[in-house]
Amino acid sequence: HAKHRGRNSFDWFDPQMGEEMRFRTQFENQIREGMRKREFVPFYERQIDLQTGKLTGFEMLARWKSPTLGLVSPEIFIPIAEDIGAIAELSELVIRQALEDAREWDPSLSLAVNISPMQLRDPWFAQKLLKLLVEANFPPERLEIEITESCLHQNLTQVRSLLTSLKNQGIRVTLDDFGTGYNSLAQLRSLPFDRIKIDRSYVTSVGSDADNAAIVHSLALLGKGLNLPITAEGIETADVLEHLMQYGDLKGQGYLYGQPRPAGQLGEWLSDAALARQGSGESPIALSATSL
Ligand code: C2E
Ligand code: MG
Ligand code: MG
Ligand code: MG
């Protein structure tokens, strides 16, 4: 007890910190238990060809359906899963489920999954991913891996060899959240990415912020010049969509097209894809309004 340890132990031991540590431990245990109970599930966000309004595929975004906390964002549980060494297992869990879900979609639709920086450091990552694909009997050509720009900093060498082995298997790799890291264009060019996704922080305000509009427009032109396809994430309004459509041939995603949904609720989106803009002269805006 503190009494026996003497005064000094009180000087550094902050009871508030003890509280936080207890909470943290509880949270970690809940995550482990949630994994055992299959509470981690994939949700899906539509990815759209902005010019045609057609669905091109889905990005899988993991969710934790916690019985006590409700729907928990990956922004919260991914870093903790990394800390406790559970990220590989958790990721495998949701990717396996996603491959199963995506097998039911039209084979022209792609599946994008996010991979965290820590997983990239695993020298067996490509091998493990391939094993999942084989087990699910899922064509590698339909899979896209998303890597956030910020993780290129420490991992450049590993990322380069990883990209090479993934590409050799037919898997495509997208640079996610572009504009949030500090990489030179030369550096990016030295990595064989198949696509670049412009971060939401630039896209969302394209209609109201001239600087961001200039940045996104330039990136669209750059992508065209380099023959590097570009996606804009975080499209929230029809106004932003209209701007983006003027910038060139982009893919896009965002809440304008609906919030991410579980596999069981994609039905209407999957059939919308078939109907999209066929004859009716329906714009992508009208299309999204019916689905929101
Ligand atoms: P991200 O890959 O950049 O995904 C986009 C995030 O922005 C998603 O948040 C999505 O729900 C949200 N979003 C999409 N459109 C809009 C919009 O129009 N406006 C706004 N305000 N937000 C929008 P989410 O699902 O919370 O995911 C956060 C991040 O967690 C993802 O960022 C991704 O990096 C990571 N993540 C998600 N699933 C996984 C996973 O299975 N494994 C790993 N390692 N990371 C994951
Ligand atoms: Mg992503
Ligand atoms: Mg992103
Ligand atoms: Mg982002």
Side-chain angles (χ1 to χ4, degrees), residues 59 75 82 113-118 120 145-155 159 173-181 183 188 191 193 197 199 233:
E59 177 177 5
E75 228 91 73
E82 285 186 335
V113 300
N114 295 280
I115 296 301
S116 71
M118 187 173 265
L120 297 181
I145 297 295
E146 296 193 0
I147 298 174
T148 60
E149 193 196 4
S150 50
C151 78
L152 293 186
H153 235 59
Q154 316 108 332
N155 293 323
V159 171
V173 188
T174 295
L175 181 61
D176 201 356
D177 303 324
F178 181 71
T180 58
N183 298 284
L188 289 184
L191 293 166
F193 285 107
K197 198 190 274 193
D199 190 62
E233 68 171 20

Side-chain angles (χ1 to χ4, degrees), residues 226-245:
L226 294 175
N227 203 12
L228 187 59
I230 308 274
T231 296
E233 68 171 20
I235 305 173
E236 293 180 350
T237 64
D239 177 46
V240 166
L241 172 61
E242 262 167 42
H243 280 81
L244 295 174
M245 285 174 81

Side-chain angles (χ1 to χ4, degrees), residues 28-208:
E28 291 173 3
N29 289 338
Q30 280 180 303
I31 288 180
R32 287 206 178 87
E33 196 187 333
M35 285 171 63
R36 281 193 297 275
K37 294 186 171 164
R38 305 278 181 237
E39 289 165 6
F40 290 88
V41 295
F43 272 44
Y44 299 95
E45 178 167 312
R46 288 200 279 181
Q47 299 185 312
I48 306 284
D49 176 328
L50 297 185
Q51 297 299 340
T52 64
K54 275 197 178 143
L55 179 73
T56 62
F58 290 95
E59 177 177 5
M60 188 270 278
L61 297 159
R63 296 286 180 266
W64 179 18
K65 283 170 130 174
S66 158
T68 50
L69 303 166
L71 210 56
V72 182
S73 155
E75 228 91 73
I76 293 173
F77 65 76
I78 296 281
I80 298 176
E82 285 186 335
D83 275 0
I84 63 177
I87 184 65
E89 198 186 329
L90 198 159
S91 180
E92 213 172 287
L93 231 131
V94 286
I95 291 177
R96 191 175 280 131
Q97 184 59 53
L99 293 174
E100 224 170 272
D101 293 339
R103 243 186 4 202
E104 305 297 314
W105 310 337
D106 187 278
S108 67
L109 297 173
S110 58
L111 169 69
V113 300
N114 295 280
I115 296 301
S116 71
M118 187 173 265
Q119 290 174 277
L120 297 181
R121 271 178 244 140
D122 175 0
W124 297 103
F125 174 76
Q127 222 100 347
K128 289 176 181 169
L129 189 66
L130 223 60
K131 185 163 169 274
L132 289 182
L133 289 171
V134 169
E135 282 168 5
N137 190 23
F138 192 86
E141 292 75 20
R142 286 183 62 195
L143 187 69
E144 260 172 54
I145 297 295
E146 296 193 0
I147 298 174
T148 60
E149 193 196 4
S150 50
C151 78
L152 293 186
H153 235 59
Q154 316 108 332
N155 293 323
L156 212 60
T157 317
Q158 284 113 310
V159 171
R160 190 173 287 121
S161 70
L162 177 65
L163 291 198
T164 308
S165 46
L166 292 176
K167 285 174 71 78
N168 286 340
Q169 305 295 336
I171 298 167
R172 282 163 296 155
V173 188
T174 295
L175 181 61
D176 201 356
D177 303 324
F178 181 71
T180 58
Y182 299 92
N183 298 284
S184 72
L185 289 169
Q187 231 173 8
L188 289 184
R189 227 25 219 152
S190 78
L191 293 166
F193 285 107
D194 296 289
R195 173 174 290 278
I196 283 183
K197 198 190 274 193
I198 308 172
D199 190 62
R200 180 172 89 211
S201 55
Y202 300 94
V203 175
T204 305
S205 59
V206 141
S208 55

